[in-house]
Amino acid sequence: MNLFDVYPINPINIVKGAGSLIYDDKGTEYLDLYGGHAVISIGHTHPHYVERLENQLHQIGFYSNSIEIPLQQQLADKLGKLSGKTDYQLFLCNSGAEANENALKLASFHNGKKKVIAFRKAFHGRTSLAVSVTDNPKIVAPVNETDNVIFLPWCDKAALEQAFATNEVSSVIIEGIQGVGGIQVATESFLRKIRTLCDQYNAVFIADSVQCGYGRTGKFFSHDFAGVDADIYSMAKGMGNGFPIGGIIISPKIKPAYGMLGTTFGGNHLACAAGLAVLEVMDNDNLMQNAEEVGNYLIEELKKFEQVKEVRGRGLMIGIEMPDELGHVRMELLKQHHIFTGEAKPNVIRLLPALNLTRAHADRFLEAFAHVLQSSRQPIAV
Ligand SMILES: Cc1ncc(COP(=O)(O)O)c(C=O)c1O
């Protein structure tokens, strides 16, 4: 049997990892500033994480949501403590798309309305409603097409006001920092405007925090920079450091009812153990502070390279916009210097490393980046 060929892949077989370093089957060491797409939040094979998962496996790995699973409440308590959203309610699932799917559905159950506002270049996942609010026609199948979604220009307040005026809007979904869209930071005043209009029109503010959340920017949710609360935050990626777990936290004003949401795998014992291990390490090792400090350092240093078009982002979610003629830099970093980074089309290098990235590893990247830029300089024609 062949694999269903949907991914362009690098011919590299990673077999081992520790912290921000990973190793292929030939023993070559790589610096991981991609984190397997913003997933590795506390570093590969963190000892506390390995121990907690191993212990849990020896107890029980899975049972369904038909019984009490106290680990879920422990996870909710810890999440409340670290995020500050202590009065929110947690629903657990398995991925980012599923988290957004549940958020959008819950919003519509809550206010009985159908229209969703999403934004140009947004990415919210590949399941039916999540892909409908994703601004990429190539990945929307005919069966997912709907006229319930209104796409608006990024951070355009007048367009937002106009879309709300119909009073049919059920929810607004927005990434605090667009990831796939090229590391575009939502303005704080725009996020506040969403809050005001959602209150005015009884609509639900959904903060997609799948990539930009979970401490990556130095605050637990990147939307927190605006100083207002969303009604639902969706989470996944960094939540399990590689173990598939996602979730939404829901404002107390949205009331639950049996049957509204449900899942077989979501919130199982092993997933909760992984989620707890991540939050314990984040808390004990002050990882949000580290993300802010090392992230700010990287951003400031990157801004000094005159060949770079723009540096965007917050904390350890960084986009380096390269000019067209330097579109090869990302591949050179991998080939020459064995550094994994992410990309956003056409020419943005995305840095999404573990939140405990050290200053020394940040410097190793900066030196390699300088070297690639230096060797890319064209001799001046005379
Ligand atoms: C902002 C955002 N939302 C949702 C998703 C979908 O998450 P998943 O791939 O876990 O379904 C992603 C994945 O890249 C994402 O970046």
Side-chain angles (χ1 to χ4, degrees), residues 37 95-98 100 123-125 175 180 208 210-211 236-237:
H37 212 83
S95 69
E98 219 188 312
N100 286 328
F123 186 91
H124 298 293
E175 298 158 81
V180 175
D208 182 338
V210 169
Q211 188 168 148
K237 293 198 188 292

Side-chain angles (χ1 to χ4, degrees), residues 121 180-184 307-312 318-331 341-350 369:
K121 290 189 153 188
V180 175
I183 312 293
Q184 301 290 348
Q307 299 100 311
V308 166
K309 251 175 137 177
E310 197 180 12
V311 182
R312 297 186 292 269
I318 301 171
I320 313 165
E321 172 116 33
M322 305 300 291
D324 290 346
E325 65 277 14
L326 290 175
H328 60 283
V329 167
R330 183 172 163 269
M331 262 308 154
T341 58
E343 73 169 337
K345 300 269 186 260
N347 271 334
V348 180
I349 299 174
R350 262 196 293 172
F369 189 68

Side-chain angles (χ1 to χ4, degrees), residues 41 75-85 90 207-225 233-236 238-239 247 249 275 278-280 282-283 287-289 291-292 317 355:
S41 46
L75 182 58
D77 290 342
K78 193 79 183 165
L79 198 50
K81 182 184 168 219
L82 261 76
S83 66
K85 317 281 180 209
L90 173 65
D208 182 338
S209 303
V210 169
Q211 188 168 148
C212 59
Y214 240 75
R216 177 158 294 286
T217 60
K219 290 199 189 287
F220 199 87
F221 294 117
S222 69
H223 304 74
D224 288 344
F225 284 94
Y233 296 83
S234 58
M235 311 160 295
M239 199 173 178
I249 59 164
V278 166
L279 291 176
E280 284 156 0
M282 280 175 67
D283 196 8
L287 293 198
M288 287 201 268
Q289 197 185 330
E292 185 185 343
M317 181 163 185
L355 307 189

Side-chain angles (χ1 to χ4, degrees), residues 50 86 139 159 176 184 213 226 273 285 313 337 361 376:
V50 173
T86 46
I139 65 167
Q184 301 290 348
D285 297 355
H337 296 274
H361 282 151
S376 302

Side-chain angles (χ1 to χ4, degrees), residues 93-158:
C93 56
N94 313 286
S95 69
E98 219 188 312
N100 286 328
E101 197 81 21
N102 281 306
L104 293 160
K105 185 175 162 182
L106 184 57
S108 180
F109 269 135
H110 173 68
N111 56 25
K113 296 194 265 186
K114 287 188 180 170
K115 300 282 181 196
V116 181
I117 294 177
F119 297 93
R120 291 270 163 245
K121 290 189 153 188
F123 186 91
H124 298 293
R126 292 168 185 273
T127 56
S128 129
L129 198 47
V131 85
S132 303
V133 291
T134 289
D135 184 26
N136 180 356
K138 275 199 258 166
I139 65 167
V140 179
V143 72
N144 302 130
E145 283 166 12
T146 167
D147 54 12
N148 281 333
V149 180
I150 306 161
F151 282 104
L152 299 182
W154 184 239
C155 293
D156 182 332
K157 288 186 197 167

